[in-house]
Amino acid sequence: QVQLVESGGGLVQAGGSLRLSCAASARSLSSYKMGWFRQAPGKEREFVAGIIWGGNIKDYEDTVKGRFTISRDNAKNTVYLQMNSLKPEDTAVYYCAADASSKVAINWGSTAYDYWGQGTQVTVSS
């Protein structure tokens, strides 16, 4: 069992930055591919970014490319999402998730992920 805890959310003005963290307890994150998802009110949960075990392959949803950066520190059992140039449409609850599959591919579908954090709210004001 992997427990994931997100932190770093908050209220920020458009154009600002936030860094989200996802810390794992009880088990090493290095065995998992990791993803960040978000869910805005009234919308489905959507993929934001993903990273494989060693961090050398990453993938991003088109609207966040060039603004968001996913990274991981396996020694600290932590995954990060650096979010720059934030826009009001980035407002959502952000979740980190762990994917235990062994395929060298980043999954965009939420059903591929085995463990989820509780989420952290990000609100971007205009």
Side-chain angles (χ1 to χ4, degrees):
Q1 188 76 11
V2 177
Q3 293 181 326
L4 304 174
V5 179
E6 301 98 335
S7 62
L11 173 64
V12 64
Q13 287 188 331
S17 298
L18 285 173
R19 188 175 84 155
L20 305 184
S21 298
C22 172
S25 62
R27 198 165 174 179
S28 173
L29 270 185
S30 62
S31 302
Y32 299 89
K33 297 177 288 183
M34 298 298 296
W36 284 96
F37 288 76
R38 65 186 178 187
Q39 188 166 19
K43 295 188 177 181
E44 293 187 356
R45 191 170 298 188
E46 65 174 0
F47 174 84
V48 174
I51 187 169
I52 66 167
W53 312 274
N56 56 322
I57 296 177
K58 305 175 185 181
D59 201 6
Y60 298 91
E61 191 269 332
D62 284 348
T63 64
V64 308
K65 280 181 181 177
R67 300 189 298 123
F68 290 11
T69 302
I70 188 171
S71 62
R72 65 191 300 162
D73 185 337
N74 289 335
K76 294 183 178 180
N77 255 7
T78 303
V79 178
Y80 304 97
L81 185 68
Q82 177 68 44
M83 306 186 295
N84 299 327
S85 301
L86 282 161
K87 304 175 181 181
E89 51 264 43
D90 295 318
T91 296
V93 177
Y94 283 71
Y95 300 89
C96 70
D99 174 3
S101 71
S102 59
K103 291 177 64 174
V104 184
I106 294 171
N107 288 306
W108 282 46
S110 60
T111 56
Y113 290 77
D114 302 281
Y115 303 102
W116 291 83
Q118 83 289 349
T120 185
Q121 176 71 45
V122 171
T123 303
V124 184
S125 63
S126 57

